[in-house]
Amino acid sequence: MAKKQFKAESKRLLDLMINSIYTHKEIFLREILSNASDALDKLAYLALTDDKVGMSRKDFQITIVPDKEARTLTVSDNGIGMTREELENNLGTIAKSGSRQFKEDLAGGENDKAASKVDIIGQFGVGFYSAFMVSDLVTVRTRAYGSDEAWCWESSGADGYTVTPCDKETVGTDIVMKLKADTEEENYTRYLEPHRLEELVKKYSDYIRYPIRMELEDYREKPKPADAGEDYKPEWEMVKEWQTVNSMVPIWQRQKSKVKTEDYNNFYKEKFSDWQDPLAVIHTSAEGAVQYKALLYIPAKAPYDFYTREFQKGLQLYSSGVLIMDKCADLLPDHFRFVRGVVDSPDFSLNISREVLQHTSQLRVIATNLEKKIKAELLKLLKSDREKYRAFWKEFGMQLKYGVVNDYGRHKELLQDLLLFPSSAEGEDTTLEEYQSRMKDDQPYVYYAQGEQVDQVARLPQAERILDKGYEILYFTDEVDEFIVQTLGELNGKPFKSVSDEDALPQTDEEKARTEKQAEENKPLLDFVKETLGDKIVAARISRILKSGTVCMTTDGPVSLEMEKYFNRIERNGEQIQSQRVLELNADAPAFAALKAAWDKGDKELAAKYVKVLYGQALLIANLPLEDPAEYAELVCSLMK
């Protein structure tokens, strides 16, 4: 029979698909198995109303047969098969979807309700041609249900195809792929290895609802001889057995009431290669404009590469049980990138490209719903099991913190309820809501103090006056914390305020007058302090925030000391960010009295030494590096003579 030609657009699409659409050649098996499942769905549907089918659901199956000698891989099903006309329509024109047409043929009549329940996962046409990514020759032998004729479709690619009569005793379809020769870039022989094929089935098609069977080698104990003695040792032999290699029913499709915690945990550990049980499980579904089922997990531990650029977020995306994307990043916002799991929706085509998928409204709806579900689960954990939430926070709290400040604070309202901070009132941590519930009626601000360790922050001299008033202080120990309060701005009308700010604690008129008088009386001395330290500070002032402490370092302007540390730790082309440092002195402290006495006596050399020591103390209190530790040590020793 003369070879028939594909239509011109089909040739172009075939070339485009093989070279562009599918970057991973191994998914050809997924496509072929999906089409086989599609054919079984059609015959299973007809069996509901046609007794002549003579088959029940348990009789349907798909088989995979590799033949290394012939270098062929055969996928067979006992589904509905195809007539000659259907072969021409479905395989002669790329992108002709037999599945879609089947469903449309049912719709509109008395079968309309039943059609809505038929779950057709294949897009028979485009996916089938993925076989040419690995094959030089593809042969399709098929016999349609209700027909005595069988037909053979054969093609070696875009140059055309033939359709000829053939012999086939049973209804269904065999797809025989003659694999390409191996090259330096690609090993096609691996698709003839039974255990490699088994891996691909489990990876992409584990949840196809019909058994996928293969003949696999396995060890079996030989029968014990009748005359075996007490010292008989069992013997094993290698045998080939037909085995079902797919599980068929995904755990996320089951009713939650019928799934045990152990089942959820085992699935997670096997699917995502984690040795620990997850911290929390979210099993959810939705129907309506967008249909989907989702099974999400919050891990107990962060992966080793979680806080690196190499980490890839994303959920596995399935279309009716068939994997179409291993890590769909658009289903998860960055602040919840630690979540693992699967989403299964019939609203996505198997053949949808990553670029098109990113712009689908269904994907955005699902992503928004999942974000709300994850937030609700974390909030539930926070309120019902604080210890478990603390374990989560230890692993992933930093991700939530960065989520608050990223995207110009776009997600701050969503995430602020989940934040935890050490506090002066609580032993370990507090939420912002809990902090607010404990605020005194006269408390003007939400106070915070920044440092590297909780114990160190708690001893900051500038925190003393705030604590003495009975006001609670949040202890910030992460670089991002100060950016968080700048992003949040306020907590239900109460602004955030650093204990180091000059106006952190409003002064009475009497206190203001006293501080102003001290500043005026000591102005020449303060000018001397500034002159002695030069560009190291922008000002020296009598402190309004110190109580019993002698000295501390604060800043003028928007850049705090902690921000300065952060910016100078990251790469900025060698440029250093410098805050406007202010040396604050307690005029009532004994050390200040010693400085003043030296100044009043005109001993500027001694006074300068005192100034440098006080500056060094302020640096140490702020956990800033001494410019010359040896010089500072010598300076202290010289004052001890």
Side-chain angles (χ1 to χ4, degrees):
M1 177 177 285
K3 182 175 289 188
K4 297 187 178 184
Q5 297 298 312
F6 293 110
K7 292 182 179 180
E9 65 273 17
S10 296
K11 288 183 180 180
R12 290 193 295 270
L13 282 171
L14 177 59
D15 180 69
L16 177 64
M17 186 198 64
I18 292 176
N19 295 298
S20 301
I21 294 181
Y22 294 112
T23 56
H24 302 292
K25 290 183 170 60
E26 65 185 27
I27 58 85
F28 82 93
L29 187 61
R30 179 196 77 179
E31 300 297 324
I32 300 302
L33 291 173
S34 295
N35 289 337
S37 176
D38 184 353
L40 293 171
D41 274 339
K42 294 177 181 179
L43 191 55
Y45 174 79
L46 293 181
L48 297 175
T49 56
D50 187 348
D51 295 336
K52 295 179 182 179
V53 173
M55 298 173 67
S56 63
R57 191 174 190 84
K58 67 180 187 328
D59 299 316
F60 296 120
Q61 68 174 7
I62 302 168
T63 61
I64 301 175
V65 179
D67 186 333
K68 289 186 177 180
E69 291 186 7
R71 203 170 174 75
T72 60
L73 179 64
T74 303
V75 177
S76 303
D77 68 73
N78 56 348
I80 199 165
M82 288 178 282
T83 64
R84 176 174 182 169
E85 182 181 5
E86 287 169 337
L87 269 177
E88 295 273 4
N89 289 338
N90 292 344
L91 304 187
T93 304
I94 295 179
K96 173 70 175 180
S97 172
S99 304
R100 183 177 297 165
Q101 188 63 48
F102 173 76
K103 201 164 185 178
E104 289 176 356
D105 289 345
L106 290 177
E110 60 181 19
N111 291 326
D112 184 55
K113 187 175 181 180
S116 65
K117 297 181 179 179
V118 177
D119 187 13
I120 302 297
I121 63 174
Q123 291 289 320
F124 203 89
V126 173
F128 165 78
Y129 280 87
S130 63
F132 288 101
M133 292 192 297
V134 299
S135 310
D136 286 327
L137 179 68
V138 179
T139 303
V140 180
R141 293 194 296 268
T142 185
R143 177 179 166 186
Y145 167 73
S147 174
D148 294 329
E149 296 179 324
W151 298 93
C152 177
W153 181 98
E154 194 168 77
S155 174
S156 57
D159 60 337
Y161 63 93
T162 61
V163 179
T164 57
C166 67
D167 294 327
K168 193 176 189 307
E169 295 183 1
T170 58
V171 170
T173 301
D174 303 328
I175 297 179
V176 184
M177 292 160 279
K178 178 79 171 181
L179 296 193
K180 296 177 181 180
D182 293 340
T183 65
E184 291 184 2
E185 294 79 20
E186 191 66 48
N187 176 18
Y188 296 99
T189 303
R190 59 182 171 155
Y191 301 124
L192 296 174
E193 299 291 341
H195 288 289
R196 175 58 178 158
L197 293 168
E198 182 184 11
E199 289 176 2
L200 293 179
V201 171
K202 288 186 178 296
K203 179 178 181 180
Y204 291 108
S205 306
D206 196 38
Y207 307 118
I208 282 181
R209 71 193 73 190
Y210 305 102
I212 301 173
R213 297 179 58 77
M214 291 178 60
E215 194 175 24
L216 298 173
E217 292 181 340
D218 202 356
Y219 283 99
R220 182 178 63 186
E221 186 177 347
K222 290 183 178 181
K224 184 178 180 179
D227 58 348
E230 293 182 0
D231 59 346
Y232 170 76
K233 294 182 179 179
E235 295 182 7
W236 297 79
E237 61 181 345
M238 179 73 77
V239 296
K240 282 189 174 183
E241 295 180 322
W242 282 94
Q243 300 179 24
T244 299
V245 294
N246 62 320
S247 62
M248 290 183 282
V249 181
I251 188 173
W252 60 82
Q253 293 285 1
R254 304 177 199 168
Q255 294 182 14
K256 285 193 283 188
S257 59
K258 296 182 179 180
V259 183
K260 300 178 181 178
T261 300
E262 182 181 2
D263 296 331
Y264 282 128
N265 293 346
N266 288 340
F267 173 80
Y268 167 76
K269 288 186 284 190
E270 179 181 346
K271 189 73 172 176
F272 300 104
S273 302
D274 197 343
W275 61 276
Q276 294 190 84
D277 290 338
L279 205 63
V281 180
I282 304 170
H283 192 173
T284 184
S285 63
E287 295 183 357
V290 178
Q291 298 182 54
Y292 68 89
K293 294 182 184 295
L295 181 57
L296 310 180
Y297 292 94
I298 298 173
K301 291 287 185 180
Y304 72 94
D305 62 344
F306 181 72
Y307 288 105
T308 70
R309 294 180 180 178
E310 286 70 34
F311 181 81
Q312 293 181 323
K313 69 170 183 174
L315 302 176
Q316 290 189 333
L317 182 60
Y318 287 80
S319 175
S320 299
V322 179
L323 181 67
I324 60 175
M325 192 174 295
D326 188 49
K327 288 188 177 179
C328 183
D330 295 289
L331 283 169
L332 282 178
D334 276 346
H335 43 271
F336 291 152
R337 66 202 293 259
F338 48 82
V339 175
R340 292 175 169 177
V342 300
V343 174
D344 193 342
S345 172
D347 294 332
F348 298 115
S349 163
L350 286 176
N351 302 307
I352 194 166
S353 70
R354 186 181 299 269
E355 291 74 20
V356 173
L357 182 64
Q358 290 173 338
H359 296 92
T360 61
S361 59
Q362 296 100 320
L363 191 74
R364 291 192 293 272
V365 170
I366 294 174
T368 299
N369 290 346
L370 294 183
E371 183 182 43
K372 294 176 182 177
K373 286 287 184 182
I374 296 168
K375 159 73 182 293
E377 181 64 28
L378 290 173
L379 205 55
K380 174 184 173 184
L381 198 64
L382 172 63
K383 294 182 177 180
S384 64
D385 193 336
R386 192 57 162 257
E387 285 305 313
K388 187 176 282 190
Y389 190 82
R390 286 190 180 112
F392 158 79
W393 184 259
K394 181 180 178 182
E395 299 296 320
F396 303 109
M398 189 66 71
Q399 188 63 41
L400 297 189
K401 286 184 175 183
Y402 279 108
V404 172
V405 300
N406 285 345
D407 294 333
Y408 304 99
R410 177 183 172 190
H411 310 288
K412 64 181 182 181
E413 293 182 2
L414 175 84
L415 298 175
Q416 72 175 33
D417 297 339
L418 301 174
L419 299 175
L420 282 184
F421 297 103
S423 160
S424 62
E426 292 295 303
E428 292 187 353
D429 51 51
T430 184
T431 67
L432 295 179
E433 181 182 20
E434 291 165 349
Y435 178 99
Q436 186 180 27
S437 70
R438 295 188 295 267
M439 287 181 67
K440 294 182 176 296
D441 293 338
D442 65 341
Q443 185 171 334
Y445 303 113
V446 177
Y447 290 106
Y448 68 89
Q450 182 86 21
E452 296 189 9
Q453 300 290 337
V454 170
D455 290 345
Q456 175 237 331
V457 179
R459 293 195 299 269
L460 288 176
Q462 53 265 50
E464 185 180 8
R465 293 179 71 234
I466 308 297
L467 294 174
D468 284 352
K469 288 284 289 186
Y471 298 154
E472 183 176 352
I473 300 175
L474 297 174
Y475 294 152
F476 289 173
T477 57
D478 290 321
E479 294 171 339
V480 70
D481 289 344
E482 209 160 9
F483 295 98
I484 288 177
V485 295
Q486 287 193 1
T487 301
L488 295 179
E490 60 180 33
L491 180 62
N492 291 334
K494 294 285 187 178
F496 287 91
K497 178 68 71 172
S498 170
V499 298
S500 296
D501 287 352
E502 190 177 14
D503 60 346
L505 197 62
Q507 290 184 308
T508 63
D509 292 340
E510 182 181 349
E511 289 172 329
K512 286 181 182 178
R514 184 170 182 271
T515 303
E516 290 172 0
K517 181 180 179 182
Q518 289 176 328
E520 183 63 30
E521 290 175 347
N522 292 287
K523 186 177 184 306
L525 176 57
L526 294 176
D527 290 341
F528 172 76
V529 173
K530 171 65 177 75
E531 180 183 345
T532 300
L533 296 176
D535 293 338
K536 295 176 182 178
I537 61 172
V538 296
R541 67 169 63 114
I542 299 301
S543 180
R544 296 181 180 180
I545 61 177
L546 292 174
K547 186 174 182 180
S548 63
T550 301
V551 67
C552 69
M553 190 76 73
T554 61
T555 61
D556 283 345
V559 181
S560 69
L561 294 174
E562 295 304 317
M563 289 181 181
E564 176 186 322
K565 296 177 191 176
Y566 168 72
F567 285 127
N568 290 332
R569 266 197 289 267
I570 63 176
E571 187 175 348
R572 296 182 58 85
N573 299 320
E575 180 184 353
Q576 292 289 300
I577 298 295
Q578 188 73 38
S579 61
Q580 298 183 55
R581 297 179 180 181
V582 175
L583 187 67
E584 301 228 1
L585 300 164
N586 184 354
D588 297 323
F592 184 82
L595 169 62
K596 182 173 175 56
W599 165 258
D600 290 341
K601 290 179 182 179
D603 191 346
K604 291 188 177 181
E605 181 180 353
L606 179 60
K609 287 184 177 182
Y610 285 151
V611 168
K612 292 176 182 178
V613 168
L614 290 171
Y615 176 72
Q617 289 177 343
L619 291 176
L620 292 172
I621 292 171
N623 209 24
L624 290 165
L626 292 170
E627 295 161 7
D628 190 336
E631 180 186 24
Y632 178 77
E634 182 63 31
L635 182 64
V636 172
C637 292
S638 71
L639 294 173
M640 298 174 67
K641 292 179 181 179

